[in-house]
Amino acid sequence: MAAKKHHVPHVKVEVPPALDAAEAARQAYANDKALTRHHFVEGEHPIVRIEHLNKTFDGETQVLKDVNLDVWPGEVVVVLGPSGSGKSTMLRCINLLETPTAGHILIEDKEITGTSKTDVNKLRQNLGMVFQSFNLFPHLTAKGNVMIGQTKVLKKSKEEAEKEALKQLAAVGLEDRADFKPAQLSGGQQQRVAIARAVAMHPDVLLFDEPTSALDPELVRGVLDVMRDLAENSGMTMIVVTHEMGFAREVADRVVFMEGGVVVEQGLPEEVFDHPQNERTAEFLGSIK
Ligand SMILES: Nc1ncnc2c1ncn2[C@@H]1O[C@H](COP(=O)(O)OP(=O)(O)OP(=O)(O)O)[C@@H](O)[C@H]1O
Ligand SMILES: [Mg+2]
């Protein structure tokens, strides 16, 4: 690839302005109503709107190509796709860990992209993220990890933060591990602490980037159970990149298949899994079964 560098023109992408909120909601409903198990509420707007999202690295590697996706309040969207298809980049654009090259991302109809007004710290309070590699603070206990965002960012008192931390640790089955440091916990336990930490911030949307990929197989189940519980009982909006097909089939309201930086196909899990419309989706699903 490097050898071809001087032949490749810099990619310039022009996209239309973001839609008006009411018009966007109408179009999104028309597009999505048959593609998701989400129960639509009259007049509902998507909580996340992605319009014409493009991301280019180094001015030439176009990793996301005109991605359009709306996510509804409380919806669980599972994103599938081969390695390098742009799944992580899309998630990272949503919480501005990456800056989109062109296009619009709106959270609750507020544009977060291309505006210097976006308070990134405030935005990230509303967008929890769970990473493959847990990213816990090694010097803090499980409880300390769940408390720190609450005290530092939400400015909660230590008592309040502790109460919430213990509640969220209990919710992920770790009340008896509150005083353990990450190194004293299994990978699955560390990931459950990371989920408790994200949930304790009460974000509007939780983003998961392959949360079980780094785990030994016997630890995957416990983490998926916690995610399933969140999906079914918390009403939290979740965008989950995972290769766990059982989870996608059972828990997702909608499955989105990406390849080559494009959303190739999306729909109800049973439709995408059992009757993929696109050849590449079928091939991918066949390869991982
Ligand atoms: N910071 C970066 N600089 C240059 N290229 C990048 C950068 N981050 C990602 N890419 C490229 O973007 C493409 C998509 O990467 P991304 O991590 O989004 O894929 P993915 O679908 O999450 O893959 P995986 O399943 O392996 O996690 C890849 O070709 C990758 O090499
Ligand atoms: Mg990835």
Side-chain angles (χ1 to χ4, degrees):
M1 251 214 248
K4 277 193 355 194
K5 209 165 187 168
H6 56 282
H7 297 300
V8 182
H10 277 222
V11 178
K12 181 112 180 76
V13 186
E14 303 278 355
V15 302
L19 290 172
D20 159 73
E23 178 55 24
R26 269 193 296 278
Q27 290 190 17
Y29 174 71
N31 290 335
D32 293 350
K33 63 178 188 246
L35 301 179
T36 173
R37 294 175 184 159
H38 176 69
H39 297 290
F40 289 93
V41 175
E42 176 88 45
E44 189 172 40
H45 286 200
I47 190 165
V48 179
R49 284 164 51 195
I50 300 176
E51 295 182 8
H52 305 292
L53 178 62
N54 287 268
K55 176 64 184 176
T56 302
F57 286 108
D58 312 322
E60 59 185 52
T61 315
Q62 207 184 346
V63 168
L64 295 176
K65 300 170 191 159
D66 200 47
V67 170
N68 292 278
L69 182 70
D70 296 291
V71 179
W72 298 87
E75 195 183 16
V76 178
V77 173
V78 166
V79 181
L80 306 175
S83 184
S85 57
K87 306 179 300 292
S88 295
T89 304
M90 182 176 77
L91 284 192
R92 292 167 59 80
C93 283
I94 296 173
N95 67 4
L96 298 184
L97 285 171
E98 299 287 357
T99 309
T101 308
H104 313 281
I105 299 174
L106 300 94
I107 310 291
E108 292 175 334
D109 293 326
K110 245 182 67 203
E111 177 132 25
I112 62 164
T113 36
T115 149
S116 56
K117 278 199 225 130
T118 301
D119 180 340
V120 172
N121 290 325
K122 193 140 190 348
L123 171 76
R124 296 216 183 109
Q125 284 172 41
N126 291 326
L127 295 171
M129 180 119 171
V130 176
F131 300 89
Q132 183 174 336
S133 51
F134 328 136
N135 295 7
L136 297 177
F137 293 111
H139 62 289
L140 294 178
T141 62
K143 186 173 74 182
N145 269 283
V146 183
M147 286 173 64
I148 191 161
Q150 299 184 67
T151 52
K152 289 250 148 77
V153 181
L154 301 182
K155 310 288 180 206
K156 281 200 200 169
S157 71
K158 202 164 162 277
E159 292 69 32
E160 272 182 291
E162 182 170 27
K163 197 169 155 217
E164 177 70 22
L166 293 173
K167 181 179 153 195
Q168 296 305 340
L169 285 171
V172 300
L174 291 175
E175 57 271 68
D176 58 342
R177 295 288 188 276
D179 297 320
F180 285 52
K181 300 255 178 80
Q184 301 169 304
L185 298 169
S186 75
Q189 291 170 334
Q190 290 183 58
Q191 190 61 298
R192 284 186 277 149
V193 173
I195 293 172
R197 176 177 62 178
V199 174
M201 302 297 282
H202 296 284
D204 294 328
V205 181
L206 261 183
L207 311 172
F208 293 83
D209 195 358
E210 300 203 32
T212 59
S213 297
L215 299 177
D216 291 335
E218 71 273 19
L219 301 177
V220 169
R221 169 65 31 212
V223 171
L224 292 179
D225 284 346
V226 164
M227 291 169 61
R228 174 195 293 261
D229 180 53
L230 271 178
E232 290 173 355
N233 301 316
S234 73
M236 188 90 77
T237 307
M238 294 164 61
I239 306 177
V240 184
V241 174
T242 184
H243 294 292
E244 292 293 334
M245 297 302 140
F247 178 87
R249 188 185 272 273
E250 288 167 30
V251 181
D253 291 314
R254 178 167 30 150
V255 169
V256 171
F257 178 72
M258 286 182 76
E259 179 174 68
V262 176
V263 173
V264 169
E265 177 164 359
Q266 53 172 316
L268 295 165
E270 58 270 28
E271 291 296 324
V272 174
F273 284 119
D274 298 336
H275 311 286
Q277 297 300 302
N278 186 283
E279 200 180 307
R280 287 297 302 127
T281 315
E283 214 174 288
F284 175 77
L285 293 173
S287 74
I288 54 164
K289 261 184 198 146

